[in-house]
């Protein structure tokens, strides 16, 4: 697989940093590819912009930064506004429609109520970023759900493995539903 | 002079010589931060003591050691400040343990006097500086490369010191092992100069089994205790006896004679200075390390260190897409530098660019070594962000 650049962005408290670690680990360890992850966050535990830049490739990654992202996962409207210009014209933006509104004329945007998906399956909004990873795994050929789940089992903080796995599975099911609805319409 | 560089896994210089082939399957793949790689390497290198005071962006190092070292029966102490941190490491090293501390700019400033003490008393110790932005408190979570000159000249008095600078998680692992090996071999403090990006960036690396790794240990005296001279001029690096084994060992920050006692003798002092510089010169081919990328046929050479070298490689690729022959030379060792080698490389190029996240520090040496024969251009950034490859391309045109 060629080099793929992904931005995971949201607000502190949405589990962004863990999901960046999980996606990178899933690619690097579970799928034996190469990955680099650089995170940035405000000095706050809740609120404030938080994001993770991830590069995944079959080859060793010399340049660790994102030039133009293939995929943006935006969990909040502010993250969409901050990062949308970093995404390729033919890229994909997975937007959490529970987090505000994206530009209706932006053809790259896929709107999904990811917070609802997460809360329905785990009752915890913080698992929204795992639901996003689950969605990503089914919606694109970037990474398999199996790799995501095995990384969660390895890397999630003690006691949070089950809810994170449930959220990722719910996200994947939401993608399946989204795709079958899209086929029908 | 022929100079070695760190090859990729398989025949790396951190590995012992084996008659059998090293199998990749024996390596453990991990996806970790630079700071975590530093810890893993230090543990494999045989670290016995960590004394430190946590500070962003180095805090993970202290945090992980605080859990890991006690599990192995090793010592972790959170000291009251950075002055005490390095003092405790010097003491532990004198007691025979491999010791380390990690910090960032503000703490590194506080450590300077005792780094000089370790130079003077020739005590092996590894000091990690995960650089952040600015003088004083600066910006805790923003990267910079502003401590290069401080790593070299931060403590007063003329002195040699070893400064190593990783540009990736893998190099953080390798150079941490080498920092301990060189500290032990040369009886010297070694500075590992990382930065916020490398410290917090996660990459996949392959950790070799610990028994594959070549570890060095300080030379022990073979003579009887009565004849032991801890600062003997007979060898470049005199043996360092562990405290408590019956070997007299007077240690001072004053200039001292070969027995370690203070002296004003011109002859003794001159010989001491000659020897502490000689031990670096004699090991230059091992300690001066670098990585090359597309340099052989390059007209334009980009010389950089740390995270900026990753940007330099991309800039060289982009330049070649535009028909400009560019290459990247990454310095893994910032001090001492092999001036003969570097100056001949610089003079063989049409132009040299030095990108760094400061206002021009590595630039001074590169410009000096060019002796006015090759144009040297700077690319600098000090707003807490990495340099863009486009900024390097701009000065090429």
């Amino acid at each position: 697989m060629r080099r793929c650049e992904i931005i995971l962005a949201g607000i502190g408290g949405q589990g962004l940093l863990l999901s960046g670690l999980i996606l990178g680990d899933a690619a690097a360890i579970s799928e034996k590819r190469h990955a680099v992850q650089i995170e940035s966050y405000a000095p706050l535990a809740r609120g404030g912009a938080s994001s993770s830049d991830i590069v995944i490739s079959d080859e060793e990654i010399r340049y660790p930064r994102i030039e133009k992202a293939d995929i943006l996962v935006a969990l909040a409207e502010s993250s969409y506004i901050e990062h949308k210009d970093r995404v390729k014209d033919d890229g994909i933006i997975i937007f959490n429609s529970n987090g505000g509104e994206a530009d209706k004329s932006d053809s790259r945007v896929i709107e999904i109520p990811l917070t609802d998906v997460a809360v329905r399956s785990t009752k915890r909004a913080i698992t929204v970023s795992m639901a996003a990873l689950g969605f990503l795994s089914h919606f694109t050929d970037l990474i398999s759900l199996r790799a995501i789940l095995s990384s969660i089992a390895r890397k999630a903080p003690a006691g949070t493995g089950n809810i994170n796995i449930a959220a990722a599975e719910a996200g994947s099911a939401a993608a399946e539903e989204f795709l079958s609805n899209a086929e029908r319409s | 002079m022929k100079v070695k560089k760190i090859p990729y896994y398989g025949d790396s210089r951190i590995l012992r010589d084996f008659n059998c082939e090293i199998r990749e399957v024996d390596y453990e793949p991990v996806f970790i931060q630079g700071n975590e790689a530093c810890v893993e390497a230090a543990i494999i290198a045989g670290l016995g003591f960590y004394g430190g005071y946590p500070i962003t962006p180095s805090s993970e190092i202290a945090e992980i050691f605080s859990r890991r070292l006690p599990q192995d029966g090793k010592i972790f102490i959170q000291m009251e400040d950075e002055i005490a941190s390095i003092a405790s490491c010097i003491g532990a090293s004198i007691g025979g343990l491999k010791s380390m501390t990690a910090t960032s700019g503000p703490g590194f400033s506080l450590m300077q006097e005792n780094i000089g003490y370790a130079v003077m008393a020739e005590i092996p110790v590894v000091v990690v500086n995960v650089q952040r932005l600015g003088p004083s408190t600066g910006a805790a979570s923003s990267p910079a490369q502003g401590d290069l000159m401080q790593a070299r000249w931060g403590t007063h008095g003329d002195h040699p010191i070893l400064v190593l600078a990783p540009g990736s998680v893998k190099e953080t692992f390798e150079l941490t092992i080498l920092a301990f090996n060189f500290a032990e071999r040369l009886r010297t403090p070694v500075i590992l100069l990382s930065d916020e990006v490398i410290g917090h960036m996660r990459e996949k690396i392959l950790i070799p089994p610990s028994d594959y790794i070549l570890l060095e240990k300080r030379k022990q005296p073979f003579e009887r205790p009565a004849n032991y001279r801890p600062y003997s001029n007979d060898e470049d690096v005199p043996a360092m006896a562990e405290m408590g084994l019956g070997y007299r060992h007077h240690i001072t920050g004053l200039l001292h004679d070969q027995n370690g006692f203070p002296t004003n003798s011109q002859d003794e002092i001159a010989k001491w200075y000659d020897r502490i510089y000689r031990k670096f010169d004699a090991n230059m081919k091992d300690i001066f390390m670098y990585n090359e990328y597309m340099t052989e046929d390059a007209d334009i050479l980009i010389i950089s260190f740390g995270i900026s070298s990753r940007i330099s490689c991309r800039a060289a690729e982009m330049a070649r897409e535009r028909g400009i022959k560019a290459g990247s030379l990454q310095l893994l060792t910032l001090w001492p530098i092999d001036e003969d080698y570097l100056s001949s490389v610089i003079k063989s190029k049409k132009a040299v660019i030095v990108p760094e996240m400061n206002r021009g520090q590595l630039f001074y040496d590169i410009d000096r070594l060019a002796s006015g024969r090759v144009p040297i251009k700077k690319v600098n950034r000090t707003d807490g962000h990495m340099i863009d490859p486009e900024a390097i391309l701009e000065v090429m045109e």
Side-chain angles (χ1 to χ4, degrees):
Chain A
M1 186 187 180
R2 64 183 176 84
R3 180 182 172 108
C4 186
E5 303 182 343
I6 306 109
I7 304 167
L8 302 178
I11 293 169
Q14 291 185 314
L16 258 300
L17 299 185
L18 179 64
S19 64
L21 164 60
I22 297 292
L23 178 56
D25 185 83
I29 309 300
S30 307
E31 296 198 341
K32 297 184 167 50
R33 287 188 274 162
H34 287 274
V36 182
Q37 181 235 355
I38 298 177
E39 58 201 25
S40 97
Y41 47 90
L44 310 161
R46 296 283 181 276
S50 174
S51 68
S52 221
D53 288 1
I54 299 138
V55 179
I56 296 174
S57 174
D58 284 336
E59 285 160 26
E60 194 193 347
I61 298 162
R62 207 176 283 278
Y63 184 59
R65 294 172 68 193
I66 285 184
E67 298 193 294
K68 272 286 189 188
D70 299 277
I71 300 169
L72 164 65
V73 175
L75 297 182
E77 188 175 330
S78 56
S79 339
Y80 167 73
I81 294 165
E82 185 182 346
H83 297 285
K84 65 182 167 63
D85 293 339
R86 299 174 65 206
V87 184
K88 286 177 183 163
D89 291 343
D90 60 348
I92 301 169
I93 298 176
I94 297 171
F95 180 73
N96 176 17
S97 54
N98 298 123
E101 284 190 14
D103 184 352
K104 295 286 176 213
S105 65
D106 188 340
S107 62
R108 302 168 300 178
V109 172
I110 311 284
E111 291 200 44
I112 294 292
L114 286 166
T115 308
D116 287 349
V117 170
V119 170
R120 268 203 302 275
S121 75
T122 68
K123 299 190 172 60
R124 295 186 204 193
I126 196 171
T127 59
V128 59
S129 53
M130 290 303 147
L133 290 189
F135 188 91
L136 198 61
S137 73
H138 196 86
F139 191 74
T140 69
D141 61 356
L142 173 70
I143 191 103
S144 68
L145 180 63
R146 189 192 163 89
I148 298 277
L149 298 185
S150 105
S151 282
I152 293 175
R154 257 200 322 275
K155 291 282 189 177
T160 69
N162 287 344
I163 59 162
N164 282 316
I165 284 173
E169 285 175 335
S172 172
E176 191 169 353
E177 194 187 327
F178 179 89
L179 289 170
S180 61
N181 286 345
E183 267 172 33
R184 255 178 266 140
S185 57
Chain B
M1 182 188 292
K2 216 170 170 301
V3 184
K4 284 189 201 168
K5 56 180 175 169
I6 291 192
Y8 214 81
Y9 282 109
D11 64 337
S12 165
R13 69 230 268 17
I14 66 168
L15 299 175
R16 289 159 54 198
D17 285 332
F18 281 95
N19 291 326
C20 57
E21 198 179 317
I22 294 178
R23 300 173 307 164
E24 195 181 318
V25 67
D26 293 338
Y27 289 76
E28 186 197 354
V30 287
F31 184 65
I32 55 174
Q33 292 185 322
N35 284 344
E36 294 177 275
C38 179
V39 169
E40 296 303 328
I43 288 172
I44 290 174
L47 181 79
F49 179 93
Y50 180 93
Y53 188 89
I55 178 172
T56 303
S58 74
S59 299
E60 293 82 6
I61 297 177
E63 185 192 338
I64 303 169
F65 275 137
S66 74
R67 285 195 303 269
R68 295 279 298 275
L69 291 181
Q71 289 171 353
D72 282 351
K74 309 282 175 60
I75 302 164
F76 171 90
I77 303 181
Q78 179 168 327
M79 299 300 290
E80 68 269 31
D81 61 24
E82 289 85 350
I83 300 174
S85 299
I86 183 160
S88 70
C89 290
I90 291 171
S93 182
I94 291 168
L97 297 178
K98 289 185 180 178
S99 65
M100 173 190 218
T101 188
T103 188
S104 187
F108 195 54
S109 291
L110 288 177
M111 289 182 182
Q112 291 304 327
E113 185 186 3
N114 274 332
I115 289 174
Y117 188 95
V119 171
M120 176 59 86
E122 295 178 72
I123 311 296
V125 55
V126 175
V127 178
V128 181
N129 175 5
V130 186
Q131 295 171 96
R132 63 194 233 178
L133 182 65
S136 189
T137 314
S141 56
S142 298
Q145 298 183 305
D147 302 351
L148 165 60
M149 284 295 182
Q150 186 189 24
R152 176 65 185 95
W153 297 114
T155 197
H156 59 275
D158 207 3
H159 63 278
I161 198 158
L162 184 56
V163 183
L164 306 177
S168 67
V169 174
K170 171 177 162 291
E171 286 164 6
T172 304
F173 181 88
E174 292 174 335
L175 291 184
T176 302
I177 302 260
L178 289 170
F180 280 100
N181 282 353
F182 292 143
E184 294 287 315
R185 190 199 300 181
L186 299 173
R187 280 187 68 174
T188 181
V190 177
I191 315 290
L192 188 78
L193 201 61
S194 179
D195 64 62
E196 190 275 336
V197 181
I198 298 162
H200 286 160
M201 179 167 70
R202 288 192 176 85
E203 290 186 281
K204 176 180 173 174
I205 65 166
L206 302 170
I207 295 192
S210 57
D211 57 358
Y212 279 21
I213 292 179
L214 173 73
L215 297 179
E216 298 184 35
K217 189 132 177 49
R218 64 195 70 168
K219 201 164 34 179
Q220 293 298 307
F222 58 87
E223 61 270 59
R224 288 173 24 216
N227 298 331
Y228 173 57
R229 289 181 305 167
Y231 298 100
S232 164
N233 284 330
D234 295 345
E235 303 162 89
D236 292 346
V237 185
M240 182 172 170
E242 266 178 49
M243 278 282 175
L245 296 183
Y247 287 84
R248 184 185 60 218
H249 195 156
H250 186 264
I251 296 166
T252 173
L254 289 161
L255 279 156
H256 42 263
D257 62 19
Q258 296 181 57
N259 288 314
F261 290 103
T263 181
N264 283 323
S265 153
Q266 278 181 344
D267 184 48
E268 290 278 1
I269 291 172
K271 279 184 182 152
W272 179 82
Y273 264 112
D274 286 346
R275 182 173 59 73
I276 64 161
Y277 274 91
R278 198 164 61 232
K279 66 185 181 183
F280 283 83
D281 293 342
N283 283 277
M284 184 66 90
K285 68 175 172 49
D286 280 347
I287 59 184
F288 181 68
M289 300 173 288
Y290 56 87
N291 283 330
E292 289 171 295
Y293 183 57
M294 306 192 299
T295 53
E296 212 158 275
D297 65 338
D299 295 327
I300 296 179
L301 186 64
I302 311 166
I303 305 182
S304 55
F305 69 99
I307 189 66
S308 294
S309 61
R310 307 282 288 267
I311 317 297
S312 301
C313 290
R314 181 71 192 119
E317 288 170 359
M318 290 163 74
R320 281 181 186 256
E321 286 162 17
R322 290 163 168 75
I324 303 168
K325 281 187 187 167
S328 160
L329 176 67
Q330 174 197 3
L331 300 184
L332 293 164
T333 306
L334 297 175
W335 306 95
I337 47 180
D338 184 337
E339 298 195 350
D340 295 340
Y341 161 78
L342 207 48
S343 129
S344 72
V345 169
I346 292 168
K347 287 171 184 164
S348 73
K349 303 299 175 194
K350 288 185 183 150
V352 172
I353 301 171
V354 187
E356 45 189 332
M357 287 155 70
N358 56 46
R359 287 296 170 115
Q361 297 191 15
L362 181 61
F363 169 80
Y364 284 117
D365 261 308
I366 305 302
D367 194 48
R368 176 174 60 85
L369 293 170
S371 320
R373 304 232 311 253
V374 180
I376 312 291
K377 301 218 169 135
K378 295 195 224 183
V379 177
N380 305 113
R381 188 162 186 180
T382 49
D383 62 355
H385 291 274
M386 284 181 267
I387 292 168
D388 294 318
E390 291 80 6
I392 301 173
L393 277 184
E394 243 168 61
V395 301
M396 282 184 199
E397 288 158 0

